[in-house]
Amino acid sequence: MSQNLPLSGRIAVITGASSGIGEAAARELAEQGAAVALLARRKERLDSLAADLRAAGGRALPLAVDATDRAAVAEAARTIAGELGAVDLVINNAGVMLPSGVEEHRVADFEQMIAVNLTGVMRIVDAFVDPLIAAAKRGGPSDLINISSIGAHGVFPTFAVYCATKAAVTHLSRNLRAELGPRHVRVSVIEPGFVNTELQSHMTDEAAKAWIESARRQITWLSAADVASTIAFTAGLPRHVNLQQVTIMPTQQV
Ligand code: NDP
């Protein structure tokens, strides 16, 4: 792997790397020279992605981890430090979207969204904030990139809890930036509109599925690679430049 790529020497952690935006981000960051730690629950998907990246000359470490499990995330952080080195780029991306009307009382789905989309995001921040600050102290770039959603700003029937978790991720990111930016750690939040991934396939609410399918027919959605290239661009900027909040939309989505 060439030393002159935009992200050569960077050590990245990507959550939700087993599919969609996380997988595409892993491919893009590795192609741009970063070593990548791949976190998600589906081990076989991570192993296969790591094999692809290594075959292309990259460094990849697959780790089956539930992002909501504090001890497992802490253990992953230790393994990454030992096997890849000091982390300076974190893509906090794992998420679930399980809409339903509040009167249906699908409490387990609400709790799962809060656990993964919000508590999980904080588990990752907690596990990697020290290496990010240390990387910044050494004088290099250091990035925490959280994946939120246009849902952070939108109002959609049956998506209340999902949108609330994403509004929390956006606001969390801006507040963390106030804390970490003065110490040269860049905090960015990326808020995509519709992206073609597995995310929608886990939904069970019929009305929400019909709305999503109609949107899929009517407009050209983003690809995971579109979002991945935005993530890589954000991480590749000069150290003093922080894209703090990026809303990336399909052109036709209003
Ligand atoms: P995918 O369903 O393809 O990816 C979600 C990823 O999260 C998977 O890799 C999944 O892996 C992982 N994940 C889910 N639960 C956990 C958990 N408990 N621990 C660890 N990993 C977990 O969807 P996307 O790529 O679309 O989603 C990525 C992010 O982008 C999400 O935060 C989503 O909210 C956001 N987003 C997506 C949009 C879209 O239209 N697709 C629009 C706006 C934002 P595994 O099951 O193997 O654990």
Side-chain angles (χ1 to χ4, degrees):
M1 185 73 65
S2 157
Q3 291 305 299
N4 298 320
L5 293 166
L7 300 177
S8 290
R10 303 291 300 270
I11 311 282
V13 176
I14 302 144
T15 69
S18 59
S19 61
I21 294 169
E23 177 183 347
R27 291 186 187 280
E28 183 68 35
L29 298 183
E31 199 165 297
Q32 296 202 18
V36 289
L38 312 169
L39 274 58
R41 293 165 304 172
R42 287 171 293 177
K43 185 173 184 315
E44 57 303 336
R45 304 267 305 237
L46 299 177
D47 287 345
S48 147
L49 174 60
D52 273 8
L53 300 180
R54 287 173 185 148
R59 290 177 73 209
L61 177 64
L63 293 169
V65 174
D66 186 323
T68 66
D69 180 338
R70 185 176 180 200
V73 170
E75 176 64 29
R78 284 189 290 274
T79 306
I80 295 163
E83 303 234 344
L84 292 182
V87 168
D88 61 8
L89 173 53
V90 174
I91 317 297
N92 214 346
N93 163 76
V96 289
M97 181 174 77
L98 305 167
S100 64
V102 73
E103 80 281 13
E104 289 176 39
H105 306 287
R106 295 200 203 168
V107 174
D109 286 353
F110 299 156
E111 289 180 349
Q112 180 72 358
M113 286 189 280
I114 293 166
V116 181
N117 300 2
L118 186 52
T119 306
V121 161
M122 268 319 296
R123 297 272 188 250
I124 296 296
V125 171
D126 185 48
F128 293 101
V129 66
D130 293 345
L132 287 175
I133 290 171
K137 269 193 192 149
R138 289 193 301 274
S142 180
D143 288 283
L144 170 64
I145 301 180
N146 294 328
I147 308 302
S148 177
S149 165
I150 189 61
H153 309 286
V155 174
F156 306 100
T158 73
F159 285 76
V161 175
Y162 178 75
C163 289
T165 63
K166 292 303 186 177
V169 171
T170 288
H171 205 52
L172 175 79
S173 304
R174 294 180 63 121
N175 277 273
L176 287 176
R177 181 173 178 278
E179 214 172 303
L180 298 174
R183 305 172 76 180
H184 296 282
V185 177
R186 296 185 291 205
V187 180
S188 304
V189 62
I190 297 186
E191 302 168 327
F194 290 124
V195 189
N196 260 316
T197 67
E198 287 180 15
L199 191 75
Q200 304 83 15
S201 69
H202 303 296
M203 298 178 3
T204 52
D205 183 83
E206 290 305 326
K209 274 163 60 178
W211 175 66
I212 290 278
E213 281 320 308
S214 138
R216 205 191 291 277
R217 281 192 303 275
Q218 284 170 26
I219 65 173
T220 304
W221 286 20
L222 299 171
S223 68
D226 295 326
V227 182
S229 58
T230 304
I231 292 170
F233 176 78
T234 301
L237 287 166
R239 185 178 188 248
H240 67 287
V241 183
N242 181 192
L243 271 187
Q244 70 154 11
Q245 189 165 0
V246 181
T247 304
I248 172 170
M249 299 289 283
T251 303
Q252 297 168 289
Q253 185 180 351
V254 290

